[in-house]
Amino acid sequence: MDEVFGNHENNDTCEQSELFIPSAWIIFTQFGLAAESAIVNTIVIVIFLRPKKRTPSTILLSALAAADCLTAIPAQMPYFVAYIFHYDDLEVDEYGYFGGWVWPELYSSCIVYYPVSNISVGFHTISVCLTVMLNIQKVVALQFPLWTMLNVGNKSTVSVICLIFVIVVSIIAWVTVIDNGLLFKGEDDACCYSELLDQNYTKGFNTSLNNVLVFAVLGVFLCTAYICWKLWTDEKSITRNQNQIAKRKTRRSALIIVLLSVIFILTELFFILRTINQSRLVPIVPMIEMINDSFILLSWQVGFSLNFVIYLIMSENLRNILKSFFMTLFRCKKETPLRNTSKWTSVSDNASTHI
């Protein structure tokens, strides 16, 4: 690495790589929400992918749960590790309004956490694409129910999910290679990058990705508005030839997607504000940057947790399975002391007989 980037050894060309570390309560909240997201989303995936419950919607919701989980866990790792293991190296952010530190990264750290951060960005992009796909699928189902029944199945849904995954992962892998190529080792093991190269490659990609995600959020908003309008104004046209049970299932499925989309739009507001703030269409507002640095990841993770609450409220099957699981768990715990007591009683009786 030193030989390849020997022309960067001049410290004048070294731009120190720094990571903003938010306040301690934000870091530990992010860590707790990431752990909770891993647990509840695993439960959702296991239940929704049971053979009898597999539908295009449940497959998409399971893929969305997996993408949310894989976004939350890698995203908070650099902040948690920096606070726990590199606290002495952190510098207080004197210009921040919400507390926090600046971490001048070492070369040994940045070459690890750049790919980790890109992985999180990749899975967040997949999550956004799946949310758009959910909305489009439901719009088509409401507008053309018969065509959807005949042409939209589990296999086609899985195929589209795999296509999205391959495309996004390929792009993120390419960007990761570019990012790591921009990094080089400076004096005292400092992690440096070339500002000129960073502007030409990384910032251009980030701008393009941000614009795509903003248009995706706009698409979700439009689809959600259409679904709400359809449910509100013309219930009979949605399920004209279905029985009452099928009607309730259709409305419940549409309502789940509406609620998920509303949460998605709300949690992406910080991201949209940052994109607008960095677009040069308006003067940059430092306060917006500070808010995003501190709260954008936290807002995503809160949204991931609220998704599970929606699944729990809207899915009777999920509630019944969880209820049965916890009843069995607590029943086992209660029965264990009783069994031990009965065994001890029998032993005592036998002992008294021998005495």
Side-chain angles (χ1 to χ4, degrees):
M1 180 65 71
D2 289 340
E3 293 179 0
V4 176
F5 295 102
N7 59 330
H8 292 299
E9 290 300 323
N10 186 351
N11 288 330
D12 293 338
T13 64
C14 174
E15 295 289 334
Q16 171 70 56
S17 175
E18 296 179 343
L19 180 66
F20 175 77
I21 308 297
S23 300
W25 74 268
I26 297 177
I27 294 174
F28 287 104
T29 302
Q30 290 176 174
F31 182 80
L33 290 175
E36 178 263 347
S37 177
I39 295 172
V40 299
N41 281 319
T42 300
I43 294 173
V44 168
I45 293 169
V46 171
I47 293 176
F48 280 5
L49 290 185
R50 298 174 73 185
K52 294 183 179 179
K53 298 297 180 181
R54 289 176 193 166
T55 64
S57 294
T58 57
I59 290 173
L60 271 173
L61 291 173
S62 300
L64 180 61
D68 289 346
C69 180
L70 294 172
T71 298
I73 294 175
Q76 58 82 37
M77 284 178 56
Y79 307 104
F80 185 78
V81 171
Y83 183 81
I84 297 298
F85 299 103
H86 300 277
Y87 184 80
D88 294 337
D89 299 327
L90 302 182
E91 301 174 359
V92 176
D93 182 17
E94 300 177 353
Y95 302 99
Y97 291 96
F98 307 101
W101 302 268
V102 175
W103 182 28
E105 293 182 284
L106 299 179
Y107 181 74
S108 56
S109 300
C110 70
I111 60 173
V112 174
Y113 293 127
Y114 264 74
V116 169
S117 298
N118 285 343
I119 288 172
S120 176
V121 170
F123 281 110
H124 175 249
T125 304
I126 292 174
S127 177
V128 172
C129 293
L130 293 177
T131 304
V132 175
M133 185 177 171
L134 263 173
N135 279 266
I136 292 176
Q137 184 191 72
K138 184 54 61 177
V139 168
V140 174
L142 295 179
Q143 189 65 33
F144 310 103
L146 183 59
W147 183 90
T148 302
M149 291 177 60
L150 295 176
N151 296 279
V152 179
N154 294 348
K155 291 184 178 180
S156 59
T157 301
V158 172
S159 299
V160 175
I161 292 173
C162 292
L163 180 62
I164 292 173
F165 178 85
V166 170
I167 292 175
V168 174
V169 169
S170 299
I171 295 174
I172 293 300
W174 173 75
V175 172
T176 301
V177 172
I178 296 296
D179 279 348
N180 277 20
L182 300 176
L183 304 174
F184 61 95
K185 185 176 180 180
E187 289 187 359
D188 299 325
D189 199 27
C191 183
C192 303
Y193 63 91
S194 171
E195 185 178 9
L196 178 61
L197 290 176
D198 184 71
Q199 288 176 350
N200 288 342
Y201 291 94
T202 306
K203 290 185 178 180
F205 169 79
N206 289 338
T207 300
S208 300
L209 180 61
N210 291 346
N211 292 336
V212 169
L213 295 181
V214 168
F215 280 110
V217 174
L218 178 60
V220 170
F221 175 80
L222 295 176
C223 289
T224 303
Y226 174 82
I227 295 172
C228 292
W229 175 79
K230 198 73 172 177
L231 291 174
W232 180 265
T233 61
D234 200 5
E235 177 182 357
K236 293 183 179 180
S237 68
I238 299 175
T239 55
R240 184 176 299 166
N241 299 319
Q242 296 176 338
N243 56 35
Q244 291 300 319
I245 296 177
K247 287 181 180 181
R248 287 196 296 269
K249 287 183 177 180
T250 301
R251 290 183 63 83
R252 184 167 61 247
S253 175
L255 187 57
I256 288 175
I257 293 174
V258 168
L259 294 175
L260 292 177
S261 299
V262 169
I263 291 176
F264 167 77
I265 293 170
L266 292 176
T267 56
E268 293 294 330
L269 287 179
F270 286 144
F271 173 80
I272 294 174
L273 286 175
R274 184 179 69 180
T275 302
I276 296 174
N277 197 43
Q278 296 177 350
S279 65
R280 299 180 182 178
L281 298 176
V282 295
I284 293 180
V285 181
M287 177 63 72
I288 294 179
E289 293 298 309
M290 295 177 186
I291 292 173
N292 278 283
D293 289 341
S294 296
F295 299 111
I296 188 170
L297 177 56
L298 187 62
S299 70
W300 287 351
Q301 292 181 325
V302 170
F304 301 157
S305 300
L306 291 177
N307 287 350
F308 178 74
V309 175
I310 293 175
Y311 298 145
L312 198 61
I313 293 174
M314 302 300 296
S315 175
E316 184 178 358
N317 181 52
L318 180 60
R319 293 198 303 271
N320 291 337
I321 291 176
L322 291 178
K323 181 179 178 181
S324 176
F325 171 77
F326 285 112
M327 288 180 64
T328 303
L329 180 64
F330 288 116
R331 187 182 298 118
C332 291
K333 288 184 177 180
K334 290 180 180 178
E335 289 178 355
T336 300
L338 294 176
R339 290 175 181 174
N340 292 337
T341 303
S342 61
K343 290 180 180 179
W344 175 252
T345 303
S346 62
V347 171
S348 301
D349 291 341
N350 292 334
S352 61
T353 302
H354 287 293
I355 293 174

